[in-house]
Amino acid sequence: MHARRIDALALDNYQRAARVILANHLVTRTYPDRIALPLIRRWATELREDLAELFGYRLEVTETTARVYPVIDRLDGGKPARTVNDRVFDRRRYAYLALALAALGRAGDQITLSELADQVAAYTARIDGLELAPDRAADRDAFVDAVGWLAARGALALADGDAGGWAADPEAGEALYDIDRPVVFALFRPPRALQHLHSVRGLLAEDPAVTAGQPAAAAGEIARRVRRALVERPVVYSEDLMPEERPVLAQDRTVADVELFTGLRAERRAEGVALIDTSGRLSDVRFPGTGTLAQVALLLVGEIADVVLDIDHPLPHRPRAADPGVALADRLDDAIPESTLFAPMADHPFTGTEAAEADSAEDEDETEPGATYPFVAADWVRDTVQALTDRYGVTFAAQWQADVPGLTAQVSALLARLRLVQPLEDGLLVLPALARYRGAVVTVRTKRAAELFVTAADTVGAASTGTEGI
């Protein structure tokens, strides 16, 4: 491992490069910023070998791009694509993005927004249930969001015009883009040919059962799976791992290798391990953080911790639900348009690895009895968020002050994404890592009478928290 041989004075620089490439997977001359690519290029050889050794990832670095090709062990719906305004992509935006990439792969050095829209519209005509109608404002907005995602990563660079003008009136507005072909090709490089897949599970790592009878190969792959979990999940619970992976998570060397590579600090508990990112360069969500959602989430965590610790009124306990990644895979498979583009693939039965993957998915649905966790009902969660709104609502963003149900849903989703709770149909399961944030102390900054101008930060409720463990 190269990180062990790097001079202590340079190690921090190397770790920053590791965090940047793990957080972004694609780095270009402008994305995520202009200093990221030179940083990656400086350490390209060491990063390439360490990423392969520790995680099984492949890194390709060119003069204009750095692209890490990860190994995906499970589907995770908690990392959606987002617009430049931080709105989550819906299915239509994902479809436009994929089709725009296909069109750009066949384009020249420049393209106008209307030309790209026409090509994508032609592709959508071949897919049942999908359409891009330039005369429909909702379609134009969704298409511009997809183009904006590409532009943010450097695949497109605005040369003239304004995408917003085209979105407002395609007859009067136009935009001209330069195409960065290396970035376009780096963006979409699936590990397997899509036309050979019958299920989204074909994009995942090899079924662990395939290497179960090969001790030497299996041992290294088991360790890589555990390390991948450590850098991909906010918390790695032992219960979520396979039986042969749990002892590897408990080994000091496994966690220490990831700490040395990333510069993060591990917190160990009996239930699992969490890597704490104080740098902010690896985590896609900072918690605790600023903004209404993050602060209400922290307030709610404190309330949940209080009721969990109330020995006079013990909460009911329930087992964990099945892995949500399995249900997500089923939903994605159901969305495959087999009647049009994928009709030839639908005619062939599963074979080989694909059959093993299907069998594995069926096995995952059979949940074994295990530990149980405190359960808080949906009514209690909603009433608690309402009480917090009544008490601190004046400090919340305006959109949430009058939308407590929406606020409750978004806060619950944030806590689930952080693996502090698991949503059920009728409430939330409280997971062990939530106890890290118990004992939150709330202070509300109030407007000073002598001020003429008040910034948003001056009126937002602030919260601090201890970091004691379970």
Side-chain angles (χ1 to χ4, degrees):
M1 182 175 170
H2 281 281
R4 296 195 187 94
R5 303 193 294 271
I6 295 175
D7 183 86
L9 295 176
L11 182 59
D12 179 68
N13 189 266
Y14 178 69
Q15 291 170 335
R16 282 194 288 121
R19 292 193 296 268
V20 168
I21 196 63
L22 284 173
N24 297 284
H25 290 184
L26 174 68
V27 174
T28 67
R29 285 173 291 192
T30 59
Y31 182 83
D33 52 49
R34 293 188 178 276
I35 65 174
L37 185 60
L39 179 64
I40 301 299
R41 284 174 55 81
R42 174 186 175 185
W43 298 103
T45 300
E46 294 85 354
L47 286 171
R48 185 180 296 111
E49 296 182 13
D50 280 353
L51 285 166
E53 176 186 345
L54 294 176
F55 309 105
Y57 293 171
R58 178 168 56 90
L59 174 66
E60 292 184 0
V61 180
T62 69
E63 292 185 1
T64 58
T65 63
R67 181 72 158 96
V68 67
Y69 296 90
V71 178
I72 307 300
D73 296 297
R74 61 193 291 274
L75 294 179
D76 182 1
K79 299 178 181 179
R82 295 178 178 272
T83 70
V84 293
N85 296 321
D86 204 35
R87 294 194 304 271
V88 174
F89 268 39
D90 55 15
R91 293 176 63 180
R92 176 166 50 177
R93 285 168 172 78
Y94 278 120
Y96 290 167
L97 175 60
L99 296 176
L101 275 171
L104 292 173
R106 298 176 174 86
D109 295 329
Q110 287 188 320
I111 193 169
T112 64
L113 190 58
S114 59
E115 289 173 341
L116 183 57
D118 290 341
Q119 293 185 35
V120 171
Y123 292 153
T124 64
R126 301 165 55 188
I127 304 174
D128 288 346
L130 182 64
E131 182 182 11
L132 171 54
D135 60 345
R136 193 157 50 216
D139 286 7
R140 295 196 303 273
D141 289 342
F143 178 69
V144 168
D145 283 341
V147 170
W149 189 94
L150 292 169
R153 283 150 184 80
L156 295 172
L158 185 65
D160 192 17
D162 176 25
W166 181 86
D169 184 358
E171 298 297 329
E174 183 59 282
L176 175 66
Y177 288 96
D178 294 326
I179 302 172
D180 192 324
R181 301 186 66 78
V183 176
V184 171
F185 293 139
L187 270 171
F188 185 67
R189 293 272 296 278
R192 299 175 180 86
L194 296 185
Q195 62 265 33
H196 298 156
L197 300 181
H198 300 270
S199 167
V200 70
R201 294 182 177 90
L203 295 173
L204 302 181
E206 187 177 47
D207 192 324
V210 175
T211 56
Q214 308 170 26
E221 180 54 30
I222 289 171
R224 282 188 286 272
R225 285 204 305 267
V226 173
R227 295 189 202 104
R228 290 195 292 262
L230 284 169
V231 297
E232 293 291 341
R233 307 181 195 177
V235 184
V236 179
Y237 293 112
S238 298
E239 186 184 25
D240 292 340
L241 300 179
M242 301 184 68
E244 65 271 19
E245 295 170 348
R246 293 167 190 166
V248 178
L249 180 66
Q251 295 173 2
D252 290 339
R253 175 68 177 270
T254 302
V255 178
D257 283 346
V258 179
E259 284 183 304
L260 181 61
F261 181 66
T262 61
L264 305 187
R265 177 173 56 86
E267 287 192 1
R268 292 174 174 270
R269 299 292 182 268
E271 297 85 358
V273 178
L275 288 179
I276 308 304
D277 177 20
T278 58
S279 71
R281 295 304 297 268
L282 180 59
S283 303
D284 55 344
V285 176
R286 291 189 64 83
F287 187 79
T290 59
T292 298
L293 292 182
Q295 294 188 353
V296 174
L298 185 58
L299 292 169
L300 180 60
V301 162
E303 297 292 333
I304 292 175
D306 287 345
V307 297
V308 169
L309 296 173
D310 186 355
I311 60 176
D312 294 327
H313 302 88
L315 292 175
H317 281 60
R318 293 190 187 180
R320 293 275 296 277
D323 184 353
V326 176
L328 177 60
D330 291 338
R331 293 199 301 273
L332 290 173
D333 286 347
D334 289 341
I336 293 176
E338 295 179 345
S339 62
T340 52
L341 293 181
F342 293 86
M345 294 187 291
D347 294 336
H348 300 286
F350 285 3
T351 58
T353 304
E354 292 163 350
E357 289 164 349
D359 292 340
S360 174
E362 292 176 0
D363 293 341
E364 292 177 14
D365 286 333
E366 299 177 5
T367 57
E368 298 181 359
T372 59
Y373 300 92
F375 170 78
V376 290
D379 290 345
W380 181 90
V381 175
R382 184 182 60 252
D383 292 343
T384 302
V385 174
Q386 179 66 66
L388 293 173
T389 303
D390 294 340
R391 185 174 182 182
Y392 303 110
V394 68
T395 69
F396 294 177
Q399 70 180 100
W400 299 121
Q401 293 181 17
D403 185 12
V404 173
L407 178 61
T408 304
Q410 290 296 319
V411 166
S412 299
L414 174 59
L415 295 180
R417 184 177 179 184
L418 295 168
R419 298 175 69 79
L420 303 180
V421 302
Q422 183 180 54
L424 301 180
E425 291 185 0
D426 54 345
L428 301 175
L429 278 187
V430 184
L431 301 184
L434 182 139
R436 182 177 188 269
Y437 301 98
R438 69 174 181 257
V441 178
V442 179
T443 58
V444 179
R445 300 190 185 107
T446 58
K447 180 179 177 181
R448 294 184 292 272
E451 289 180 337
L452 290 177
F453 303 100
V454 181
T455 64
D458 290 325
T459 59
V460 176
S464 61
T465 178
T467 57
E468 297 181 26
I470 299 167

